[in-house]
Amino acid sequence: MSAHTKNLFDITNKRIAITGGAGVLCGQMSAELARQGAKVAVIDFNIQAAQALAGQIKKDGGTAVAVHANVLEKEAVEKSLAATLDAFGGVDVLINGAGGNRKEATCSAPATFFDLPADAIRWVFDLNCLGTILPSQVFGKHLAQQDAGSIINISSMNAFRPLTNIAAYSAAKAAVSNFTQWLAVYMAQRHSKNVRVNAIAPGFFLTEQNRFLLTDEKTGQPTPRGRTIIEHTPMGRYGQPEELVGTIQWLISDAARFVTGVVVPVDGGFSAFSGV
Ligand code: NAD
């Protein structure tokens, strides 16, 4: 390997702001990116969890700061940018990790699509769409002004083809993928050819947001849906949260410096398999 190739994926001292950074998937990302030498602002409205994680990262020799913000309030997001700049003197990367689904916006045996309450549907759209767009406005403006940086959104498998039952979440993540492409083009054409915008689309990872769908609450056994997912994942298992980090690191690093506007599946082959 040439010296050049060896450094291609280097993210040492990259200043990364990650919303929802204290969650299951993004918590792992925060910790692992810090282990790779990045400085991480863990932005979350669960400040206790963010502080605990930032504390652990520092204990492990990394650099992190916990920042409180609700991604649905622009003023709060602006304060989180200021806090990140204060802590690290700049910011290079925004990861829009805050997102998720809600049981009340999901079809189930008693609840048909026709019954889903507007409030629950709006909650899912707000968190995933607006919660990606507002931080992209605030941090994106800063990246555009400095003419460098990168934004990474978290989409989902259901953005490629909707998954049964999760009507609102599928539509909301499809919007996140669409917005990723839109913003990539807008940034490059209007503001900076050096600000890239991409997304990852995780396949199936067992976390708090989907545990009620994949595991029987009483017995802990896989639900029929959980079994179907494994059967349709050629690699035959759920992903481990740390398995998202390599793709994120690639997208952040110079190795992806000509990559913008893509949504990369990290899914054990789920999206490639027709089921036959
Ligand atoms: P999680 O629920 O464990 O973490 C989400 C974090 O976001 C939490 O720490 C929460 O406090 C924070 N948060 C929620 N609302 C917020 C708000 N308004 N402002 C600030 N912070 C807020 O979720 P996760 O499973 O780690 O998912 C992370 C991302 O990956 C989400 O966008 C999710 O939709 C996506 N995703 C998850 C899966 C999966 O299998 N778990 C699959 C595909 C995509």
Side-chain angles (χ1 to χ4, degrees):
M1 198 185 275
S2 73
H4 178 67
T5 313
K6 230 165 59 190
N7 294 330
L8 215 46
F9 296 86
D10 186 24
I11 58 165
T12 311
N13 291 327
K14 287 262 188 226
R15 297 156 300 188
I16 300 174
I18 174 162
T19 72
V24 176
L25 297 183
C26 292
Q28 192 80 39
M29 258 175 229
S30 300
E32 191 52 42
L33 293 170
R35 244 192 301 278
Q36 299 299 320
K39 299 175 179 176
V40 180
V42 181
I43 301 174
D44 206 294
F45 72 0
N46 183 346
I47 188 63
Q48 285 86 1
Q51 281 166 341
L53 179 60
Q56 188 58 49
I57 289 173
K58 286 193 261 187
K59 230 175 168 178
D60 294 342
T63 305
V65 62
V67 179
H68 180 260
N70 180 348
V71 292
L72 301 179
E73 291 168 9
K74 196 164 180 186
E75 218 176 286
V77 177
E78 277 160 354
K79 284 187 184 150
S80 76
L81 169 64
T84 307
L85 296 176
D86 259 6
F88 302 148
V91 61
D92 305 298
V93 177
L94 167 69
I95 299 176
N96 281 309
N101 189 25
R102 192 164 149 177
K103 199 172 182 174
E104 295 77 11
T106 302
C107 302
S108 60
T112 69
F113 166 69
F114 312 114
D115 303 321
L116 299 180
D119 276 359
I121 295 169
R122 192 176 293 117
W123 186 94
V124 172
F125 270 85
D126 276 358
L127 178 57
N128 293 282
C129 301
L130 198 60
T132 295
I133 291 172
L134 289 184
S136 298
Q137 289 183 303
V138 172
F139 283 78
K141 187 172 181 185
H142 179 85
L143 299 179
Q145 282 164 353
Q146 75 184 8
D147 192 23
S150 157
I151 296 176
I152 298 174
N153 298 327
I154 314 292
S155 184
S156 173
M157 270 308 102
N158 59 40
F160 298 109
R161 275 183 306 168
L163 302 175
T164 54
N165 297 331
I166 49 176
Y169 186 55
S170 291
K173 286 300 192 186
V176 169
S177 289
N178 184 287
F179 172 68
T180 300
Q181 294 176 309
W182 183 87
L183 188 61
V185 173
Y186 173 80
M187 274 290 188
Q189 289 189 333
R190 283 283 297 275
H191 293 286
S192 168
K193 307 260 181 262
N194 301 313
V195 177
R196 298 178 295 106
V197 184
N198 294 294
I200 62 164
F204 294 88
F205 295 76
L206 192 58
T207 60
E208 290 321 308
Q209 77 168 54
N210 59 18
R211 195 172 300 277
F212 71 96
L213 282 170
L214 305 183
T215 311
D216 186 288
E217 272 168 322
K218 289 192 189 101
T219 64
Q221 292 302 306
T223 58
R225 187 184 182 87
R227 278 198 297 278
T228 305
I229 287 168
I230 298 300
E231 282 162 17
H232 284 73
T233 300
M235 293 182 79
R237 62 176 175 85
Y238 294 121
Q240 305 288 333
E242 65 269 22
E243 290 171 323
L244 295 173
V245 180
T247 306
I248 294 274
Q249 180 167 349
W250 164 62
L251 287 172
I252 290 170
S253 72
D254 278 355
R257 69 177 175 222
F258 196 49
V259 178
T260 195
V262 303
V263 181
V264 185
V266 185
D267 66 346
F270 182 90
S271 57
F273 183 40
S274 68
V276 178

